[in-house]
Amino acid sequence: MVTQSMANATRKPPLRRVPKKEPQVFAPERMSPVDRAWLRMDSPANLMMILGVWIIKPGVCFEAVTKRLEERLLQYPRFGQRVEVDTLGARWVQDEDFNIERHVVLEHLPKVTKHQERQALQDRLAELAVQPLDMAHPLWQFHLVEHYQGGSALMARIHHCIADGVALIGVTQSMVDGGVVPKPVPADSLDETVLKALGEALKGLWSEPKKGLEVLLEKGLANSADLAKQAYQVVQDASALAFLPDDSTTRLKGTPGLHKRVAWCEPLPFDEVKAVAHALNCSINDLLMSCVAGAFGRYLRAGGDETAAKEFRAMVPVNLRTPADVGKMGNRFGLAPLLLPLGIENPMERVYEVRRRMRAMKGSFQPLLTLGLLAAAGLLVKPGQDALLELFSKKTTAVLTNVPGPRTKLKFLGATLEQDLVWVPQSGSVGLGVSLLSYGGGVQMGIVSDAGLCPQPQAVVDNFAHEFGALSLLALMLPWEA
């Protein structure tokens, strides 16, 4: 029997023909080890796609969207190239059979009442999150819902091997009205020599960190005056990564299945978030991370779970791009493991504990080391890569991104980009992706979750707003200077 969900997932909306434009031709290019690691990380339960959605008002039409994407995206080599796997790894080659109609798709959501439109969009995003991209062509696709809540919704799926979130922010900035494709700065960047040295530093623990640091010194990424101190820090951080303990066992951990859920909350006023953080003497990041911990703790307790002394490890992406990386695709970020306290119910106590943990992370080499680890994984045979990365995914409950976007709302085809949401993929056995994004004067939390491990992510994001409200009220109760 074919369910409605299956029908939605397999339907092919009618395409509207647009004038064909030949993509700009770029020379083949060898894929970096880090990007190759992301390419090979796909699994049936977790596809390595960055998932996003724009809410646009008033609505935009399919033909105009297709033309804009064709004009702007094809100026980046990756969006006109497919992946060709060979004996040396993989390379980017021009797709001689490129057709924009494969990559921009017109969608029609089911007919629902007005207050159910967001749920219908979330359901469609969840379906798209488990549909693989076509490896025979460039690994990206946009899906336009022309009529959504008085405007339009543009959903995006881009494989992580193309670029990381920071690079894709630049891509989206080029898509909006007045946007231009940035020209790469002709300078050295964090190259594969550095990444390989970092991978060796992590594998060697005590014997290789000095070698890795010497390469960093050559590249200007470390301070020679503090070499001994930094060498000690690398040893400590490498050891901590190598012997990372398990986080707490909760029903949020387990083996992910083949179905996803997607949810997000309405924007919280950024100025209010900033004011509360200032009143509590913590950073905006501390405040938001504390609200995330409180939201998941409240969710688990509502389901009858005991959360006392339990913790939730989130891998937090850390941008490692240099000025020389402007306009470049690929992946240049590391991961920092952050333990969030699920069992601290008092919101004030929790925010200060999160602040303490966030401060302890400053100056850590762990993001650089994990980037080196990914480079090393990309050079291994596929089973070796899977075994190496699974060691970390088993000790992790979620991937948590915090992305600062433009403070003012952008324009797209003359309409206003009202909301901008994005989620990074989860690898291995990780079943939760959490996104915090500030944009246009608001802050939103979004979740993409495995349907079996976290079947009600909307309850979690609703809790997020509740936790912020509690901290906002407590901040108002503090004594104020006359």
Side-chain angles (χ1 to χ4, degrees):
M1 186 174 84
V2 178
T3 65
Q4 181 62 45
S5 177
M6 292 170 60
N8 289 342
T10 57
R11 68 178 184 270
K12 293 183 178 180
L15 296 176
R16 296 182 187 169
R17 298 288 175 180
V18 295
K20 186 174 180 180
K21 177 182 178 180
E22 295 298 328
Q24 187 175 347
V25 177
F26 295 94
E29 183 181 344
R30 180 63 52 186
M31 182 179 287
S32 75
V34 174
D35 296 342
R36 185 180 181 226
W38 284 107
L39 174 70
R40 301 190 303 177
M41 236 182 281
D42 277 326
S43 70
N46 281 324
L47 297 174
M48 294 300 104
M49 292 187 301
I50 294 174
L51 188 70
V53 61
W54 281 358
I55 308 301
I56 305 162
K57 291 185 179 180
V60 293
C61 73
F62 177 76
E63 290 82 358
V65 170
T66 301
K67 182 180 179 182
R68 172 64 60 85
L69 295 178
E70 190 172 30
E71 289 175 347
R72 303 288 176 85
L73 290 185
L74 295 186
Q75 294 185 57
Y76 293 92
R78 295 291 177 269
F79 289 88
Q81 294 173 321
R82 61 181 178 83
V83 175
E84 184 178 88
V85 178
D86 55 31
T87 55
L88 297 177
R91 61 179 190 152
W92 300 100
V93 299
Q94 195 72 25
D95 181 9
E96 301 297 340
D97 191 30
F98 181 87
N99 188 335
I100 192 66
E101 293 176 356
R102 291 194 188 94
H103 300 278
V104 187
V105 180
L106 182 64
E107 293 275 348
H108 298 282
L109 297 179
K111 295 289 184 181
V112 294
T113 59
K114 186 174 181 179
H115 70 280
Q116 293 178 319
E117 284 185 289
R118 186 170 73 173
Q119 184 62 57
L121 181 63
Q122 291 173 342
D123 289 346
R124 183 58 183 146
L125 271 166
E127 292 172 345
L128 292 171
V130 294
Q131 291 184 21
L133 294 162
D134 187 353
M135 286 290 294
H137 301 287
L139 297 174
W140 61 275
Q141 200 167 44
F142 282 80
H143 303 254
L144 177 68
V145 179
E146 284 185 314
H147 305 289
Y148 173 76
Q149 292 187 338
S152 299
L154 183 62
M155 300 174 283
R157 300 189 301 148
I158 302 174
H159 201 286
H160 215 313
C161 70
I162 289 179
D164 55 33
V166 172
L168 291 178
I169 287 175
V171 173
T172 58
Q173 294 284 317
S174 75
M175 289 165 48
V176 300
D177 294 356
V180 294
V181 177
K183 300 297 183 183
V185 177
D188 288 337
S189 182
L190 187 61
D191 64 22
E192 302 308 326
T193 304
V194 176
L195 299 182
K196 186 176 180 181
L198 289 169
E200 291 301 318
L202 182 60
K203 290 190 294 181
L205 293 181
W206 294 274
S207 61
E208 296 295 340
K210 187 173 184 296
K211 176 182 175 182
L213 278 172
E214 287 171 350
V215 177
L216 291 177
L217 286 168
E218 293 174 7
K219 297 295 176 180
L221 299 174
N223 186 341
S224 59
D226 294 325
L227 179 59
K229 181 180 178 180
Q230 293 180 55
Y232 176 77
Q233 184 68 51
V234 168
V235 171
Q236 294 293 99
D237 290 340
S239 299
L241 282 175
F243 303 107
L244 200 66
D246 294 343
D247 59 350
S248 302
T249 300
T250 70
R251 56 192 166 95
L252 300 172
K253 292 177 69 72
T255 303
L258 302 179
H259 301 282
K260 301 285 186 183
R261 297 281 188 271
V262 175
W264 59 83
C265 67
E266 289 301 306
L268 302 174
F270 181 81
D271 287 342
E272 185 177 345
V273 173
K274 183 178 179 180
V276 172
H278 178 75
L280 298 180
N281 192 28
C282 66
S283 71
I284 293 173
N285 211 17
D286 297 337
L287 180 70
L288 295 176
M289 294 294 186
S290 178
C291 291
V292 169
F296 277 104
R298 183 180 291 270
Y299 175 79
L300 291 172
R301 289 189 292 275
D305 294 2
E306 177 57 56
T307 61
K310 290 200 171 184
E311 297 181 313
F312 169 108
R313 179 174 289 114
M315 285 294 183
V316 181
V318 177
N319 178 34
L320 296 175
R321 287 177 174 267
T322 70
D325 291 311
V326 173
K328 293 183 179 179
M329 296 293 97
N331 290 274
R332 285 293 185 273
F333 71 95
L335 296 167
L338 173 64
L339 276 175
L340 293 174
L342 296 173
I344 302 179
E345 296 187 45
N346 184 302
M348 290 288 278
E349 180 185 355
R350 185 175 61 248
V351 77
Y352 291 125
E353 175 59 20
V354 170
R355 183 184 68 175
R356 183 189 68 80
R357 297 182 185 194
M358 294 288 286
R359 287 180 175 178
M361 292 171 59
K362 293 185 184 300
S364 171
F365 279 92
Q366 288 183 349
L368 274 170
L369 290 169
T370 55
L371 180 59
L373 179 70
L374 282 169
L379 296 171
L380 296 173
V381 294
K382 179 67 163 60
Q385 172 180 313
D386 292 344
L388 181 62
L389 298 181
E390 183 63 15
L391 293 174
F392 288 89
S393 67
K394 286 183 177 179
K395 301 173 185 294
T396 303
T397 298
V399 178
L400 197 166
T401 59
N402 189 355
V403 181
R407 294 293 303 275
T408 57
K409 293 181 179 180
L410 303 173
K411 292 288 187 177
F412 180 70
L413 297 172
T416 301
L417 175 51
E418 294 287 351
Q419 296 183 35
D420 178 7
L421 293 142
V422 64
W423 298 269
V424 297
Q426 307 81 59
S427 63
S429 57
V430 178
L432 274 173
V434 182
S435 170
L436 298 170
L437 194 137
S438 59
Y439 166 76
V443 180
Q444 288 179 274
M445 178 187 184
I447 293 178
V448 56
S449 68
D450 176 76
L453 300 176
C454 183
Q456 296 177 307
Q458 190 63 51
V460 180
V461 297
D462 291 344
N463 289 343
F464 175 78
H466 178 91
E467 293 294 334
F468 173 72
L471 285 170
S472 181
L473 180 61
L474 289 169
L476 289 172
M477 295 171 65
L478 293 173
W480 292 83
E481 295 181 4

